[in-house]
Amino acid sequence: MTATPRPERAAAPGKVNLFFAAGPPRPDGYHDVASLYCAVSTGETVTAAPTRGAGTSVGVAAVPGSLVAQQIDRGTFTLDAVPTDGSNLAVRAAEAVLARFPRLSGGLHLQIEKAVPVAGGMGGGSADAAAALLAVNRLAARVSGEPALDDDALLQLAAGLGADVPFALTGGAAVGTGTGAHLRPVPVGAPLHLVLVAAEAGLSTPAVYAELDRLRTHEDVPPPRLPAGLEEALRTGQAAELAPLLANDLQAAALSLAPQLAPVLAAGAAAGVLASFVSGSGPTVAHLVAEAAAAEDLADVLRGQGAPALAVRAP
Ligand code: ATP
């Protein structure tokens, strides 16, 4: 009897968008964006194990202490919301890799350890896809004895899975253009300190874009651009200089669909943070503070008030 090959495990970070501008809708329905992505120190882990059956199965668990675990403790979320069929982005990622190893047979199990809120604007599904690309690539190469796909091939598969997947693969900080998938890494002088606050219900990214287009119906929307000085402020690591430059075109749309985010943002101002913003299409809110200790203190206070909150570094 041959032993079952050992599993492979890989991680990928969640993200916030420190800046996000979206242009007008394109003829294909997508929007060109100018995004400053920044990875955060909370993210997803995927373990890929071979099985004797066929097809890909999925298991999902919450990382203790994570925003997802806090949402479950408060009764505002259950892991049933994560698809375990072929619509799970991690499954699509695994199958994209396996298609490049046609001689392999047998099934696959993906165990996802979730920390990033679902439909939270933090790219959780994209991080699962990125981690699955890495884990399945290593497993398939080891089991088949063929060379693993190189970084460029993985990035190409990532871009085919979703606009945020390439960034989840590379991490760090990067400017994203086009739909967000075209990346240019940018240096960060010092990690930023954020407090992430998860909402009770998720927001659908397409719904937020549709609301943005509706709110801008009569506006002449310029092509998306990063503001002057933003990359320099990040490079020098001066959070106070970065704070006034943070902006997100999707924030007004997210607030329009989820007005309950207004007091969450206002709580940051009341606590004297440097800036508060909605991440991506929301509804997760991030508060920028000057130091790690201030982030831990604010996260404690917000958790005491009943909100799922987590102090993180970025990147
Ligand atoms: P983004 O900011 O990248 O647009 P998001 O972080 O707001 O996305 P996700 O958590 O990635 O949102 O998931 C959005 C939807 O995708 C979910 O509501 C779910 O139906 C589907 N989905 C597919 N795969 C996954 C996955 N692995 N984890 C969570 N949701 C997934």
Side-chain angles (χ1 to χ4, degrees):
M1 197 166 74
T2 51
T4 310
R6 67 175 193 281
E8 283 284 350
R9 187 179 157 93
K15 56 86 182 167
V16 294
N17 304 84
L18 295 173
F19 181 86
F20 192 91
R26 307 189 313 201
D28 65 3
Y30 286 93
H31 295 70
D32 281 322
V33 307
S35 166
L36 179 55
Y37 287 106
C38 196
V40 292
S41 58
T42 184
E44 312 274 274
T45 306
V46 173
T47 305
T51 62
R52 293 187 189 282
T56 303
S57 56
V58 174
V60 189
V63 175
S66 65
L67 288 170
V68 169
Q70 294 182 47
Q71 289 176 308
I72 292 171
D73 286 349
R74 285 167 175 73
T76 60
F77 178 75
T78 70
L79 289 172
D80 299 341
V82 181
T84 53
D85 59 9
S87 70
N88 190 303
L89 263 187
V91 175
R92 291 183 46 214
E95 287 174 356
V97 173
L98 291 177
R100 305 289 288 272
F101 293 86
R103 293 211 300 267
L104 277 182
S105 60
L108 187 69
H109 181 74
L110 298 176
Q111 181 62 30
I112 302 177
E113 283 153 65
K114 262 209 164 295
V116 175
V118 173
M122 287 183 59
S126 300
D128 293 338
L133 286 174
L134 294 168
V136 177
N137 185 38
R138 287 204 290 264
L139 183 68
R142 178 157 50 74
V143 174
S144 69
E146 293 172 47
L149 302 177
D150 63 17
D151 290 353
D152 282 349
L154 287 180
L155 270 173
Q156 260 187 21
L157 293 184
L161 293 165
D164 290 343
V165 185
F167 177 72
L169 207 50
T170 57
V175 173
T177 49
T179 60
H182 185 264
L183 296 175
R184 176 170 56 80
V186 294
V188 182
L192 302 170
H193 301 287
L194 299 173
V195 178
L196 301 173
V197 184
E200 290 201 352
L203 276 175
S204 141
T205 303
V208 175
Y209 269 106
E211 181 66 0
L212 173 73
D213 294 338
R214 193 188 68 79
L215 292 173
R216 301 201 297 198
T217 307
H218 302 294
E219 278 177 41
D220 197 10
V221 179
R225 288 186 49 188
L226 291 184
L230 183 67
E231 284 185 50
E232 179 62 10
L234 195 63
R235 196 184 62 76
T236 55
Q238 301 296 320
E241 280 166 34
L242 192 64
L245 300 172
L246 305 185
N248 178 1
D249 277 354
L250 295 177
Q251 182 159 318
L255 272 164
S256 169
L257 296 176
Q260 63 275 21
L261 293 180
V264 181
L265 290 162
V273 304
L274 297 171
S276 299
F277 56 97
V278 168
S279 175
S281 55
T284 305
V285 164
H287 300 296
L288 174 66
V289 297
E291 287 168 11
E296 294 292 352
D297 289 349
L298 178 57
D300 268 349
V301 169
L302 296 175
R303 278 193 296 265
Q305 294 169 357
L310 190 70
V312 296
R313 276 173 294 104

